[in-house]
Amino acid sequence: MEAALKETKAKLKEVSGADLLIQALEKENVEVIFGYPGGAVLPIYDKLYDSKILHVLPRHEQGGIHAAEGYARVSGKPGVVIATSGPGATNIITGIADAMMDSLPLVVFTGQVATGVIGTDAFQEADILGITTPITKYNYQVRDIKDIPRIIKEAFYIATSGRPGPVVIDFPKDLAAGVAAVPAEEEIHLPGYQPTTEPNFLQVRKLSEAVSRAKRPVILAGAGVLHAKASNLLKEYAEQQNLHVVHTLLGLGGFPANHELFLGMAGMHGCYTANMALYHCDLLINIGARFDDRLTGNLEHFAPKAAVAHIDIDPAEIGKNVPTQIPVVGDAGEALRQLLVLEGNPPEQEDWAETLSAWKKDFPYHYENSEILKPQKVMELLYEKTEGEAIVVTDVGQHQMWAAQYYQLQHSDRWVTSGGLGTMGFGLPASIGAQLADPKACVVAVLGDGGFQMSTQELAVIAEFQLPIKIAIFNNKALGMVRQWQEIFYKERYSHSKNPVQPSFVKLAEAYGIKGFEIHTEAEAHSILDKVLHDKEPVLLDFRVDGAENVYPMIAPGKGIHEMVGVKK
């Protein structure tokens, strides 16, 4: 046996750490890497030069990691990122935290100084393990070339299994350049990491029985439904039991918005019907949502009359914010399959259904028309002219909420937004990843003028790859949501929320070889959208919208979910 082992080792060919990394990525079927080279990762980039994996060079590392997030959200595959050590690595910290909050699978490689000088404040050294520990699902630092295949295999498994999330691999330069004879990696063996995917059947049956007894049930569906690829199962179960569905911001698209059982988005800028359904229900069935504060408002007034059932693959989420009577730990898809088999008796809820129907009819989203271009009208036109089939990518702010309210998503994996961290500058690069994940899709990047100016350099990537993204800027010459809060809560004291100086966004686009249009009226919006939406080339659309427009309805901080303002009948 020992002789055979020696013979096997003798036959192994020595390869470099960088070779092992590229080989491992190819084994994981990685299609695209979003990366920015630098001194500490030059050995990796030298090997990448000969690889068939597509490499996308963002013009800023933060753009690269947001692009990887967009790719992961649409494709369901892990986004792969490479950054060099020190400032290159710290430039992607926001994106790592963003992915952690929104449960997006990323595998992130950061270059590190050579092992012999780690801890000496060497040039471009940063403690990436220490920095990323609170914002990653797991992180590694490679300390032996022979560990590289195992670490990468484990990283992809951890990032994509259970509740998805980002995994960081810190890669010292000398290990990337060094060589060793390394056997093929063995099977994954992680006894301390065993996510529960199969729900406890007795708990699922308890939930099924509670549904049969309920008089005012409602499903709250979050992004966990999308991560589990369970949209069709959710629709089937809702129809089987005649249950109405409310979505979180991140869960949009998990249930068709034109379905009669859909009530709309809940939360701070959610619709009246969805929020009142959560307030008055007697059984709340949470599937894959984490009860964040923008959804619940004041917890004292959240679903005060309801028994709460919570299905989540992450047991840490259950009972974290809202007391839960029926906990179900497991994959949302598996839980829905069990519920469908159990079937149970649909609840008797005629009065509840009539009430919900009346609210939907009487309290829709609304805005006042005027000669000034309204952002809500622009979203309605984008929905109408893309027939609801576009992938909608947003930045963060007022435009994000108008997109969530007025673009009626019918399918899963068509909605890309920064929900948990609320990262400005996310939208434009995320649209690059979304388009690469689905090259045939119509991708619309809905941005505010503030967020757009945080990542305008990524226009170069769009031009380089001729990605046919339609960049729709809602230009109100302000940080709109900040301005809205200053108007309402700070007596119109607009402290540094307006943009007195802006470049011509059209000329900026043209500088990158991208067509651009400035749009002031509804008639112009109709005409230009008809002209450009189905072009096979990128276009920038600078919509000059009403700068005084606010997002309503709204739940003020500290208020209950039933205390909305801006509701009109």
Side-chain angles (χ1 to χ4, degrees):
M1 183 69 179
E2 189 174 338
L5 188 60
K6 285 183 179 177
E7 186 180 351
T8 301
K9 286 184 176 178
K11 288 180 181 176
L12 289 174
K13 182 182 175 183
E14 287 197 336
V15 294
S16 71
D19 272 322
L20 288 169
L21 187 153
I22 300 301
Q23 289 170 11
L25 295 182
E26 290 172 346
K27 283 182 181 177
E28 296 292 337
N29 298 314
V30 172
E31 300 167 325
V32 56
I33 293 172
F34 303 91
Y36 205 106
V41 289
L42 282 179
I44 297 171
Y45 268 82
D46 188 58
K47 299 302 178 184
L48 194 56
Y49 193 69
D50 297 322
S51 172
K52 292 181 180 178
I53 299 174
L54 174 66
H55 182 272
V56 174
L57 175 70
R59 287 353 185 221
H60 191 290
E61 289 94 344
Q62 187 170 344
I65 198 159
H66 292 325
E69 289 184 273
Y71 175 83
R73 178 75 285 277
V74 172
S75 71
K77 303 172 185 174
V80 178
V81 179
I82 297 177
T84 194
S85 65
T90 55
N91 278 344
I92 60 174
I93 296 302
T94 298
I96 294 172
D98 193 276
M100 186 68 179
M101 290 282 278
D102 289 353
S103 306
L104 294 175
L106 299 182
V107 177
V108 180
F109 296 90
T110 53
Q112 184 54 275
V113 299
T115 51
V117 293
I118 289 178
T120 67
D121 293 336
F123 176 67
Q124 292 195 331
E125 182 187 3
D127 177 12
I128 291 304
L129 285 191
I131 293 170
T132 61
T133 293
I135 55 170
T136 51
K137 192 171 176 186
Y138 200 72
N139 61 11
Y140 295 87
Q141 186 174 71
V142 180
R143 303 296 293 196
D144 189 322
I145 293 176
K146 294 176 182 175
D147 291 336
I148 292 172
R150 174 185 60 79
I151 287 175
I152 293 175
K153 191 165 187 173
E154 287 178 1
F156 275 83
Y157 176 69
I158 293 170
T160 55
S161 58
R163 179 178 180 172
V167 177
V168 165
I169 301 174
D170 200 36
F171 216 114
K173 181 176 182 178
D174 57 320
L175 297 184
V179 296
V182 180
E185 75 277 15
E186 299 174 353
E187 292 299 313
I188 291 173
H189 181 63
L190 294 169
Y193 175 69
Q194 301 290 330
T196 300
T197 57
E198 189 70 21
N200 182 298
F201 180 73
L202 295 178
Q203 287 300 98
V204 175
R205 189 167 67 185
K206 190 175 177 183
L207 169 56
S208 179
E209 291 168 353
V211 169
S212 297
R213 293 192 301 270
K215 301 297 183 188
R216 299 186 306 280
V218 67
I219 292 175
L220 170 66
V225 173
L226 300 174
H227 295 310
K229 304 293 181 191
S231 298
N232 290 336
L233 292 168
L234 172 62
K235 180 169 173 283
E236 192 177 347
Y237 179 64
E239 289 175 344
Q240 182 197 72
Q241 296 296 310
N242 199 31
L243 297 172
H244 291 81
V245 177
V246 167
H247 260 312
T248 65
L249 172 68
L250 283 172
L252 289 172
F255 194 83
N258 60 358
H259 197 288
E260 62 178 2
L261 291 173
F262 186 60
L263 300 180
M265 181 181 74
M268 177 174 279
H269 293 293
C271 68
Y272 180 86
T273 307
N275 283 339
M276 294 304 283
L278 292 179
Y279 182 73
H280 287 286
C281 67
D282 67 351
L283 176 64
L284 172 56
I285 308 160
N286 177 349
I287 307 178
R290 57 186 175 82
F291 285 134
D292 80 285
D293 61 308
R294 285 291 173 105
L295 169 78
T296 63
N298 187 330
L299 282 169
E300 185 181 344
H301 302 293
F302 181 73
K305 304 156 190 170
V308 175
H310 190 166
I311 299 169
D312 206 300
I313 200 164
D314 185 351
E317 289 298 335
I318 297 178
K320 184 179 78 175
N321 296 329
V322 174
T324 301
Q325 285 71 51
I326 308 175
V328 180
V329 178
D331 177 83
E334 294 301 322
L336 285 164
R337 283 190 190 90
Q338 290 188 12
L339 286 166
L340 282 163
V341 171
L342 285 168
E343 198 165 349
N345 297 317
E348 296 178 5
Q349 48 167 340
E350 286 185 14
D351 291 346
W352 179 235
E354 287 177 7
T355 299
L356 295 172
S357 179
W359 284 340
K360 282 178 71 173
K361 179 183 175 185
D362 293 341
F363 300 101
Y365 290 124
H366 72 90
Y367 62 94
E368 303 293 332
N369 276 309
S370 77
E371 292 183 358
I372 305 172
L373 186 59
K374 292 289 184 177
Q376 299 95 327
K377 172 56 71 176
V378 177
M379 278 316 309
E380 287 180 335
L381 290 175
L382 285 170
Y383 171 68
E384 173 191 326
K385 293 179 185 298
T386 58
E387 299 178 343
E389 297 293 327
I391 294 175
V392 179
V393 185
T394 82
D395 212 85
V396 171
Q398 287 182 312
H399 65 279
Q400 179 189 29
M401 294 300 119
W402 286 315
Q405 292 176 338
Y406 289 90
Y407 198 94
Q408 304 297 301
L409 289 154
Q410 309 301 331
H411 310 293
S412 58
D413 302 329
R414 306 278 97 176
W415 173 246
V416 182
T417 196
S418 171
L421 199 63
T423 303
M424 285 181 67
F426 169 90
L428 187 66
S431 71
I432 293 170
Q435 187 73 79
L436 288 169
D438 191 347
K440 294 182 180 177
C442 172
V443 174
V444 180
V446 179
L447 314 172
D449 52 291
F452 173 64
Q453 291 182 88
M454 286 189 172
S455 53
T456 54
Q457 71 281 353
E458 305 309 337
L459 288 172
V461 180
I462 293 172
E464 178 185 347
F465 289 89
Q466 276 300 289
L467 301 174
I469 299 167
K470 309 309 175 217
I471 305 159
I473 300 172
F474 284 43
N475 188 349
N476 54 13
K477 297 185 178 179
L479 305 176
M481 195 61 89
V482 177
R483 185 206 57 74
Q484 176 172 336
W485 280 48
Q486 289 172 335
E487 175 188 323
I488 298 172
F489 304 116
Y490 293 89
K491 301 178 181 177
E492 301 184 17
R493 289 162 53 83
Y494 300 117
S495 178
H496 307 286
S497 60
K498 298 191 176 181
N499 294 325
V501 176
Q502 282 183 328
S504 162
F505 295 146
V506 170
K507 288 183 179 177
L508 185 61
E510 289 171 349
Y512 286 99
I514 296 172
K515 283 195 299 189
F517 297 90
E518 200 172 284
I519 302 165
H520 294 265
T521 67
E522 185 179 330
E524 289 176 354
H526 270 286
S527 170
I528 292 173
L529 287 176
D530 284 339
K531 189 187 304 180
V532 306
L533 263 182
H534 300 291
D535 280 357
K536 301 298 183 187
E537 59 183 328
V539 178
L540 183 145
L541 304 166
D542 182 3
F543 292 100
R544 299 303 180 97
V545 298
D546 187 347
E549 192 69 17
N550 288 337
V551 183
Y552 288 117
M554 180 179 183
I555 302 169
K559 296 293 184 181
I561 198 167
H562 61 303
E563 298 175 289
M564 286 167 281
V565 297
V567 177
K568 288 188 179 178
K569 189 170 183 177

